[in-house]
Amino acid sequence: MDRGKRPSNLFGNKNCKIYMGLKDIIRENALAYLPAKSLFRCTGVCREWKLQISTPFFAHNQSNCFQSTSGFFYQTTSGVPSFMSVDPMAYGVPDPSLSFLPEPVDIRSSSNGLLCCQGRTGYRAYYVCNPVTKQWKKLPKPENDHGADPAVVLVFEPSLLNFIAEFKLVCAFKSELDGLEFEIYSSQKGSWRTSGEICFGNHVLSPKSGVYVNGTVYWRSAYGFTSFDLTSERCQFHNPYYAFGGVFGSMNGKLCVADLRGHRLVLSVLSNTHSNTMQLKSKAKTWDQIQHDNITDVVGANNSWKYNGCIKYIGGDIVLAQNGSTYSSYDMKKKTATTLGEFDVGSNSAIVGYVNSLVEL
């Protein structure tokens, strides 16, 4: 039998992807990389797109594909939560005031589409929510007193293997043994646990400075910064290389400190996390300064930036700069800036970066 003349069904199969139209190609391969607000508009394109976007599997896929900083949550001078969008046409939430939560809250932390808030009544419970879907969870009461302004950090890393968001909440609190202790909430176990690690010494942390980077939580302290490794649950105190100004953030999986000196944006990246264990007079660098940008040229700001400007956030390629009540975002990769406008941000408000994600709680 001449098998070489047998007709192939490969090119006759109309379900083959080479026969997909542009609409179907976008639905299968591009939609998951869009932010939540843009996806809600896409549901009006056709019935197939609406069904695709509304499935739990798509929400799970989108939370893994889209992880760009979309804006910033903050609180106004009256204490009401609000949202500052990097691009209002693309990014947004239906209820920036978070009125869907059962009580008024203070914003504490954010991680990959999830937002951590704290209630103002009773034992001041922690809430973790997705502002896009309005899904929320109330956490049980911690075992320890976290203080009036807790140094708490939300940790959520999307995973293709986990369809339900598994997150942790890490809080550093003052120990009765003259030091710092750490309490950890695990959504997988649904309970709090106090770590056996104690960081002795008079470490006064800046509560709103906490940031999670590559398995470790970092906080600013009065004379340096403190780190807590979530795997080994070991704490370290680090002396600063940089000036005492600036804001903590993450860039390329490393801790970064961003500061505005004059008209220039100065970035310092933690390159050696074991500097405390090295021999004296070692020439190994703890911090690397990797970028100096003249932010005035890009933002188009006046000379007041030299005296009043400051950096409020850095994450990935996005920097948020403040000059009085005016806020601007700067994309370090594209070398472009956008004036976001004037915002009524409270003097003691945390400003946390937010990812416009469909992640399910």
Side-chain angles (χ1 to χ4, degrees), residues 144-171:
N144 302 278
D145 181 10
H146 293 177
D149 193 7
V152 64
V153 176
L154 178 63
V155 177
F156 168 58
E157 295 182 297
S159 170
L160 287 171
L161 301 178
N162 295 329
F163 277 80
I164 298 178
E166 294 183 357
F167 61 87
K168 292 182 178 180
L169 203 61
V170 184
C171 183

PDB file of all heavy atoms in Angstrom, residues 144-171:
ATOM      1  N   ASN A 144      -0.813  38.338  69.573  1.00  0.00           N
ATOM      2  CA  ASN A 144      -0.019  39.382  70.223  1.00  0.00           C
ATOM      3  C   ASN A 144      -0.561  40.767  69.895  1.00  0.00           C
ATOM      4  O   ASN A 144      -1.330  40.949  68.945  1.00  0.00           O
ATOM      5  CB  ASN A 144       1.448  39.283  69.776  1.00  0.00           C
ATOM      6  CG  ASN A 144       2.060  37.931  70.083  1.00  0.00           C
ATOM      7  OD1 ASN A 144       2.489  37.671  71.195  1.00  0.00           O
ATOM      8  ND2 ASN A 144       2.102  37.053  69.078  1.00  0.00           N
ATOM      9  N   ASP A 145      -0.131  41.727  70.665  1.00  0.00           N
ATOM     10  CA  ASP A 145      -0.511  43.124  70.441  1.00  0.00           C
ATOM     11  C   ASP A 145       0.427  43.719  69.389  1.00  0.00           C
ATOM     12  O   ASP A 145       1.629  43.844  69.613  1.00  0.00           O
ATOM     13  CB  ASP A 145      -0.401  43.908  71.753  1.00  0.00           C
ATOM     14  CG  ASP A 145      -0.812  45.361  71.586  1.00  0.00           C
ATOM     15  OD1 ASP A 145      -1.356  45.719  70.519  1.00  0.00           O
ATOM     16  OD2 ASP A 145      -0.565  46.157  72.517  1.00  0.00           O
ATOM     17  N   HIS A 146      -0.126  44.083  68.240  1.00  0.00           N
ATOM     18  CA  HIS A 146       0.684  44.628  67.149  1.00  0.00           C
ATOM     19  C   HIS A 146       0.880  46.132  67.238  1.00  0.00           C
ATOM     20  O   HIS A 146       1.590  46.708  66.415  1.00  0.00           O
ATOM     21  CB  HIS A 146       0.048  44.271  65.797  1.00  0.00           C
ATOM     22  CG  HIS A 146       0.081  42.807  65.497  1.00  0.00           C
ATOM     23  ND1 HIS A 146      -0.486  42.264  64.360  1.00  0.00           N
ATOM     24  CD2 HIS A 146       0.636  41.767  66.176  1.00  0.00           C
ATOM     25  CE1 HIS A 146      -0.302  40.956  64.349  1.00  0.00           C
ATOM     26  NE2 HIS A 146       0.373  40.637  65.446  1.00  0.00           N
ATOM     27  N   GLY A 147       0.244  46.768  68.188  1.00  0.00           N
ATOM     28  CA  GLY A 147       0.413  48.204  68.354  1.00  0.00           C
ATOM     29  C   GLY A 147      -0.590  49.005  67.554  1.00  0.00           C
ATOM     30  O   GLY A 147      -1.352  48.483  66.734  1.00  0.00           O
ATOM     31  N   ALA A 148      -0.581  50.323  67.784  1.00  0.00           N
ATOM     32  CA  ALA A 148      -1.535  51.210  67.122  1.00  0.00           C
ATOM     33  C   ALA A 148      -1.249  51.368  65.638  1.00  0.00           C
ATOM     34  O   ALA A 148      -2.165  51.547  64.830  1.00  0.00           O
ATOM     35  CB  ALA A 148      -1.512  52.584  67.803  1.00  0.00           C
ATOM     36  N   ASP A 149       0.010  51.300  65.253  1.00  0.00           N
ATOM     37  CA  ASP A 149       0.421  51.436  63.851  1.00  0.00           C
ATOM     38  C   ASP A 149       1.313  50.245  63.501  1.00  0.00           C
ATOM     39  O   ASP A 149       2.534  50.343  63.523  1.00  0.00           O
ATOM     40  CB  ASP A 149       1.162  52.761  63.648  1.00  0.00           C
ATOM     41  CG  ASP A 149       1.334  53.109  62.178  1.00  0.00           C
ATOM     42  OD1 ASP A 149       0.773  52.389  61.325  1.00  0.00           O
ATOM     43  OD2 ASP A 149       2.037  54.093  61.883  1.00  0.00           O
ATOM     44  N   PRO A 150       0.721  49.092  63.181  1.00  0.00           N
ATOM     45  CA  PRO A 150       1.494  47.859  63.039  1.00  0.00           C
ATOM     46  C   PRO A 150       2.408  47.853  61.815  1.00  0.00           C
ATOM     47  O   PRO A 150       2.055  48.367  60.761  1.00  0.00           O
ATOM     48  CB  PRO A 150       0.417  46.779  62.921  1.00  0.00           C
ATOM     49  CG  PRO A 150      -0.778  47.496  62.384  1.00  0.00           C
ATOM     50  CD  PRO A 150      -0.716  48.876  62.969  1.00  0.00           C
ATOM     51  N   ALA A 151       3.598  47.255  62.004  1.00  0.00           N
ATOM     52  CA  ALA A 151       4.557  47.080  60.905  1.00  0.00           C
ATOM     53  C   ALA A 151       4.227  45.769  60.207  1.00  0.00           C
ATOM     54  O   ALA A 151       4.901  44.743  60.370  1.00  0.00           O
ATOM     55  CB  ALA A 151       5.985  47.076  61.436  1.00  0.00           C
ATOM     56  N   VAL A 152       3.163  45.788  59.406  1.00  0.00           N
ATOM     57  CA  VAL A 152       2.642  44.571  58.791  1.00  0.00           C
ATOM     58  C   VAL A 152       2.878  44.591  57.286  1.00  0.00           C
ATOM     59  O   VAL A 152       2.797  45.646  56.645  1.00  0.00           O
ATOM     60  CB  VAL A 152       1.133  44.418  59.116  1.00  0.00           C
ATOM     61  CG1 VAL A 152       0.321  45.548  58.503  1.00  0.00           C
ATOM     62  CG2 VAL A 152       0.619  43.074  58.658  1.00  0.00           C
ATOM     63  N   VAL A 153       3.189  43.412  56.723  1.00  0.00           N
ATOM     64  CA  VAL A 153       3.466  43.288  55.293  1.00  0.00           C
ATOM     65  C   VAL A 153       2.679  42.095  54.744  1.00  0.00           C
ATOM     66  O   VAL A 153       2.746  40.986  55.291  1.00  0.00           O
ATOM     67  CB  VAL A 153       4.968  43.092  55.017  1.00  0.00           C
ATOM     68  CG1 VAL A 153       5.221  42.866  53.526  1.00  0.00           C
ATOM     69  CG2 VAL A 153       5.756  44.297  55.502  1.00  0.00           C
ATOM     70  N   LEU A 154       1.934  42.331  53.666  1.00  0.00           N
ATOM     71  CA  LEU A 154       1.192  41.273  52.990  1.00  0.00           C
ATOM     72  C   LEU A 154       2.095  40.612  51.956  1.00  0.00           C
ATOM     73  O   LEU A 154       2.772  41.296  51.178  1.00  0.00           O
ATOM     74  CB  LEU A 154      -0.047  41.860  52.313  1.00  0.00           C
ATOM     75  CG  LEU A 154      -0.922  40.899  51.505  1.00  0.00           C
ATOM     76  CD1 LEU A 154      -1.524  39.824  52.401  1.00  0.00           C
ATOM     77  CD2 LEU A 154      -2.014  41.671  50.771  1.00  0.00           C
ATOM     78  N   VAL A 155       2.085  39.276  51.927  1.00  0.00           N
ATOM     79  CA  VAL A 155       2.921  38.514  51.002  1.00  0.00           C
ATOM     80  C   VAL A 155       2.022  37.592  50.190  1.00  0.00           C
ATOM     81  O   VAL A 155       1.397  36.678  50.738  1.00  0.00           O
ATOM     82  CB  VAL A 155       3.985  37.683  51.749  1.00  0.00           C
ATOM     83  CG1 VAL A 155       4.801  36.849  50.760  1.00  0.00           C
ATOM     84  CG2 VAL A 155       4.896  38.594  52.566  1.00  0.00           C
ATOM     85  N   PHE A 156       1.936  37.838  48.898  1.00  0.00           N
ATOM     86  CA  PHE A 156       1.179  36.980  47.986  1.00  0.00           C
ATOM     87  C   PHE A 156       1.947  36.831  46.685  1.00  0.00           C
ATOM     88  O   PHE A 156       2.236  37.817  46.017  1.00  0.00           O
ATOM     89  CB  PHE A 156      -0.217  37.553  47.714  1.00  0.00           C
ATOM     90  CG  PHE A 156      -0.930  36.868  46.576  1.00  0.00           C
ATOM     91  CD1 PHE A 156      -1.173  35.506  46.607  1.00  0.00           C
ATOM     92  CD2 PHE A 156      -1.348  37.586  45.468  1.00  0.00           C
ATOM     93  CE1 PHE A 156      -1.808  34.867  45.548  1.00  0.00           C
ATOM     94  CE2 PHE A 156      -2.000  36.973  44.416  1.00  0.00           C
ATOM     95  CZ  PHE A 156      -2.231  35.604  44.455  1.00  0.00           C
ATOM     96  N   GLU A 157       2.270  35.606  46.337  1.00  0.00           N
ATOM     97  CA  GLU A 157       2.965  35.302  45.095  1.00  0.00           C
ATOM     98  C   GLU A 157       2.084  34.385  44.257  1.00  0.00           C
ATOM     99  O   GLU A 157       1.897  33.213  44.603  1.00  0.00           O
ATOM    100  CB  GLU A 157       4.312  34.634  45.371  1.00  0.00           C
ATOM    101  CG  GLU A 157       5.292  35.541  46.088  1.00  0.00           C
ATOM    102  CD  GLU A 157       6.642  34.874  46.312  1.00  0.00           C
ATOM    103  OE1 GLU A 157       6.679  33.865  47.032  1.00  0.00           O
ATOM    104  OE2 GLU A 157       7.634  35.363  45.767  1.00  0.00           O
ATOM    105  N   PRO A 158       1.507  34.886  43.153  1.00  0.00           N
ATOM    106  CA  PRO A 158       0.646  34.056  42.310  1.00  0.00           C
ATOM    107  C   PRO A 158       1.394  32.827  41.794  1.00  0.00           C
ATOM    108  O   PRO A 158       2.579  32.899  41.449  1.00  0.00           O
ATOM    109  CB  PRO A 158       0.280  34.996  41.147  1.00  0.00           C
ATOM    110  CG  PRO A 158       0.467  36.366  41.695  1.00  0.00           C
ATOM    111  CD  PRO A 158       1.615  36.270  42.652  1.00  0.00           C
ATOM    112  N   SER A 159       0.690  31.710  41.744  1.00  0.00           N
ATOM    113  CA  SER A 159       1.279  30.459  41.280  1.00  0.00           C
ATOM    114  C   SER A 159       0.311  29.763  40.342  1.00  0.00           C
ATOM    115  O   SER A 159      -0.899  29.727  40.599  1.00  0.00           O
ATOM    116  CB  SER A 159       1.611  29.547  42.468  1.00  0.00           C
ATOM    117  OG  SER A 159       1.962  28.244  42.025  1.00  0.00           O
ATOM    118  N   LEU A 160       0.825  29.207  39.262  1.00  0.00           N
ATOM    119  CA  LEU A 160      -0.015  28.476  38.317  1.00  0.00           C
ATOM    120  C   LEU A 160      -0.627  27.231  38.951  1.00  0.00           C
ATOM    121  O   LEU A 160      -1.646  26.724  38.493  1.00  0.00           O
ATOM    122  CB  LEU A 160       0.806  28.083  37.081  1.00  0.00           C
ATOM    123  CG  LEU A 160       1.161  29.218  36.109  1.00  0.00           C
ATOM    124  CD1 LEU A 160       2.144  28.721  35.057  1.00  0.00           C
ATOM    125  CD2 LEU A 160      -0.082  29.772  35.439  1.00  0.00           C
ATOM    126  N   LEU A 161      -0.004  26.725  40.003  1.00  0.00           N
ATOM    127  CA  LEU A 161      -0.456  25.487  40.625  1.00  0.00           C
ATOM    128  C   LEU A 161      -1.531  25.702  41.675  1.00  0.00           C
ATOM    129  O   LEU A 161      -2.186  24.739  42.088  1.00  0.00           O
ATOM    130  CB  LEU A 161       0.739  24.753  41.248  1.00  0.00           C
ATOM    131  CG  LEU A 161       1.870  24.376  40.295  1.00  0.00           C
ATOM    132  CD1 LEU A 161       3.000  23.706  41.052  1.00  0.00           C
ATOM    133  CD2 LEU A 161       1.368  23.485  39.174  1.00  0.00           C
ATOM    134  N   ASN A 162      -1.709  26.950  42.130  1.00  0.00           N
ATOM    135  CA  ASN A 162      -2.679  27.233  43.188  1.00  0.00           C
ATOM    136  C   ASN A 162      -3.812  28.097  42.647  1.00  0.00           C
ATOM    137  O   ASN A 162      -3.619  29.267  42.326  1.00  0.00           O
ATOM    138  CB  ASN A 162      -1.999  27.950  44.361  1.00  0.00           C
ATOM    139  CG  ASN A 162      -0.963  27.089  45.046  1.00  0.00           C
ATOM    140  OD1 ASN A 162      -1.087  25.870  45.089  1.00  0.00           O
ATOM    141  ND2 ASN A 162       0.063  27.723  45.574  1.00  0.00           N
ATOM    142  N   PHE A 163      -5.016  27.508  42.535  1.00  0.00           N
ATOM    143  CA  PHE A 163      -6.160  28.250  42.020  1.00  0.00           C
ATOM    144  C   PHE A 163      -6.755  29.168  43.085  1.00  0.00           C
ATOM    145  O   PHE A 163      -7.449  30.120  42.771  1.00  0.00           O
ATOM    146  CB  PHE A 163      -7.219  27.282  41.489  1.00  0.00           C
ATOM    147  CG  PHE A 163      -6.941  26.819  40.092  1.00  0.00           C
ATOM    148  CD1 PHE A 163      -6.018  25.817  39.848  1.00  0.00           C
ATOM    149  CD2 PHE A 163      -7.576  27.406  39.014  1.00  0.00           C
ATOM    150  CE1 PHE A 163      -5.749  25.394  38.559  1.00  0.00           C
ATOM    151  CE2 PHE A 163      -7.317  26.998  37.714  1.00  0.00           C
ATOM    152  CZ  PHE A 163      -6.400  25.983  37.488  1.00  0.00           C
ATOM    153  N   ILE A 164      -6.521  28.865  44.345  1.00  0.00           N
ATOM    154  CA  ILE A 164      -6.972  29.728  45.429  1.00  0.00           C
ATOM    155  C   ILE A 164      -5.771  30.496  45.968  1.00  0.00           C
ATOM    156  O   ILE A 164      -4.714  29.915  46.222  1.00  0.00           O
ATOM    157  CB  ILE A 164      -7.624  28.898  46.555  1.00  0.00           C
ATOM    158  CG1 ILE A 164      -8.851  28.167  46.026  1.00  0.00           C
ATOM    159  CG2 ILE A 164      -8.004  29.783  47.731  1.00  0.00           C
ATOM    160  CD1 ILE A 164      -9.526  27.285  47.045  1.00  0.00           C
ATOM    161  N   ALA A 165      -5.919  31.801  46.111  1.00  0.00           N
ATOM    162  CA  ALA A 165      -4.804  32.640  46.555  1.00  0.00           C
ATOM    163  C   ALA A 165      -4.356  32.245  47.959  1.00  0.00           C
ATOM    164  O   ALA A 165      -5.146  32.268  48.895  1.00  0.00           O
ATOM    165  CB  ALA A 165      -5.215  34.107  46.516  1.00  0.00           C
ATOM    166  N   GLU A 166      -3.099  31.871  48.083  1.00  0.00           N
ATOM    167  CA  GLU A 166      -2.509  31.571  49.378  1.00  0.00           C
ATOM    168  C   GLU A 166      -1.553  32.700  49.739  1.00  0.00           C
ATOM    169  O   GLU A 166      -0.591  32.960  49.022  1.00  0.00           O
ATOM    170  CB  GLU A 166      -1.774  30.236  49.341  1.00  0.00           C
ATOM    171  CG  GLU A 166      -2.708  29.042  49.128  1.00  0.00           C
ATOM    172  CD  GLU A 166      -1.973  27.714  49.160  1.00  0.00           C
ATOM    173  OE1 GLU A 166      -0.725  27.736  49.285  1.00  0.00           O
ATOM    174  OE2 GLU A 166      -2.633  26.663  49.054  1.00  0.00           O
ATOM    175  N   PHE A 167      -1.837  33.379  50.843  1.00  0.00           N
ATOM    176  CA  PHE A 167      -1.062  34.543  51.223  1.00  0.00           C
ATOM    177  C   PHE A 167      -0.616  34.436  52.666  1.00  0.00           C
ATOM    178  O   PHE A 167      -1.112  33.612  53.438  1.00  0.00           O
ATOM    179  CB  PHE A 167      -1.874  35.825  51.007  1.00  0.00           C
ATOM    180  CG  PHE A 167      -3.144  35.885  51.817  1.00  0.00           C
ATOM    181  CD1 PHE A 167      -3.145  36.384  53.111  1.00  0.00           C
ATOM    182  CD2 PHE A 167      -4.346  35.441  51.284  1.00  0.00           C
ATOM    183  CE1 PHE A 167      -4.304  36.430  53.868  1.00  0.00           C
ATOM    184  CE2 PHE A 167      -5.520  35.485  52.032  1.00  0.00           C
ATOM    185  CZ  PHE A 167      -5.491  35.984  53.323  1.00  0.00           C
ATOM    186  N   LYS A 168       0.325  35.300  53.014  1.00  0.00           N
ATOM    187  CA  LYS A 168       0.784  35.413  54.398  1.00  0.00           C
ATOM    188  C   LYS A 168       0.765  36.883  54.805  1.00  0.00           C
ATOM    189  O   LYS A 168       0.903  37.780  53.965  1.00  0.00           O
ATOM    190  CB  LYS A 168       2.202  34.848  54.560  1.00  0.00           C
ATOM    191  CG  LYS A 168       2.304  33.347  54.387  1.00  0.00           C
ATOM    192  CD  LYS A 168       3.726  32.856  54.617  1.00  0.00           C
ATOM    193  CE  LYS A 168       3.812  31.343  54.491  1.00  0.00           C
ATOM    194  NZ  LYS A 168       5.196  30.834  54.717  1.00  0.00           N
ATOM    195  N   LEU A 169       0.591  37.101  56.093  1.00  0.00           N
ATOM    196  CA  LEU A 169       0.677  38.428  56.667  1.00  0.00           C
ATOM    197  C   LEU A 169       1.749  38.377  57.751  1.00  0.00           C
ATOM    198  O   LEU A 169       1.664  37.548  58.664  1.00  0.00           O
ATOM    199  CB  LEU A 169      -0.675  38.840  57.241  1.00  0.00           C
ATOM    200  CG  LEU A 169      -0.943  40.344  57.394  1.00  0.00           C
ATOM    201  CD1 LEU A 169      -0.876  41.026  56.049  1.00  0.00           C
ATOM    202  CD2 LEU A 169      -2.307  40.585  58.030  1.00  0.00           C
ATOM    203  N   VAL A 170       2.755  39.221  57.626  1.00  0.00           N
ATOM    204  CA  VAL A 170       3.887  39.208  58.552  1.00  0.00           C
ATOM    205  C   VAL A 170       3.910  40.521  59.316  1.00  0.00           C
ATOM    206  O   VAL A 170       3.880  41.601  58.715  1.00  0.00           O
ATOM    207  CB  VAL A 170       5.222  39.021  57.795  1.00  0.00           C
ATOM    208  CG1 VAL A 170       6.382  38.911  58.779  1.00  0.00           C
ATOM    209  CG2 VAL A 170       5.164  37.797  56.894  1.00  0.00           C
ATOM    210  N   CYS A 171       3.950  40.429  60.640  1.00  0.00           N
ATOM    211  CA  CYS A 171       3.966  41.631  61.474  1.00  0.00           C
ATOM    212  C   CYS A 171       5.125  41.560  62.456  1.00  0.00           C
ATOM    213  O   CYS A 171       5.289  40.568  63.174  1.00  0.00           O
ATOM    214  CB  CYS A 171       2.652  41.783  62.232  1.00  0.00           C
ATOM    215  SG  CYS A 171       2.578  43.310  63.218  1.00  0.00           S
TER     216      CYS A 171
END
